[in-house]
């Protein structure tokens, strides 16, 4: 699986292409990248599972945007939601 992620985190623009065996690999990479961008504030992410991170990300997105997207129940759901919202572009392999 190959995706392009375009978003802003902690005031920094991110535009990166990620490749992994599946959506679980991609989600783990996204979690790691976000933790890196947040610096010491991202330390709490290390204790979260990738799916827990995805669910928290959607919760925070909903709060910030007054939306009501359901928390993802899988990495694949998270990638698909990111695609629907325009943060993720699923690329051909």
């Amino acid at each position: 699986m190959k995706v392009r992620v375009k978003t802003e985190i902690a005031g920094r623009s991110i535009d990166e292409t990620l490749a992994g065996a599946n959506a679980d690999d991609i989600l783990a990479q996204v979690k790691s990248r976000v933790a890196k961008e947040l610096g010491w504030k991202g330390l709490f992410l290390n204790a979260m599972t990738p799916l827990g991170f995805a669910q928290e990300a959607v919760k925070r997105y909903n709060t910030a945007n007054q939306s009501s997207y359901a928390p993802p129940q899988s990495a694949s759901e998270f990638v698909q939601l990111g695609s629907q919202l325009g943060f993720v572009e699923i690329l051909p392999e």
Side-chain angles (χ1 to χ4, degrees), residues 3-4 9-11 14 17 23 30 32-33 35 40 45-48 51 55 57-58 62 66 80 84 87:
V3 300
R4 180 179 181 193
I9 298 171
I14 294 176
T17 299
V30 169
S32 176
R33 182 68 164 94
W40 68 269
L45 292 181
N46 293 330
M48 299 176 90
L51 183 57
Q55 292 169 336
V58 171
N62 283 339
Q66 299 176 339
Q80 289 299 322
Q84 290 173 347
F87 298 115

Side-chain angles (χ1 to χ4, degrees), residues 29-77:
Q29 290 178 53
V30 169
K31 176 189 160 200
S32 176
R33 182 68 164 94
V34 170
K36 179 181 171 186
E37 283 299 318
L38 294 176
W40 68 269
K41 292 178 183 177
L43 291 176
F44 75 97
L45 292 181
N46 293 330
M48 299 176 90
T49 65
L51 183 57
F53 160 76
Q55 292 169 336
E56 182 65 23
V58 171
K59 176 183 165 189
R60 288 175 184 243
Y61 180 88
N62 283 339
T63 299
N65 295 285
Q66 299 176 339
S67 55
S68 58
Y69 293 101
Q73 299 304 305
S74 68
S76 183
E77 282 184 25

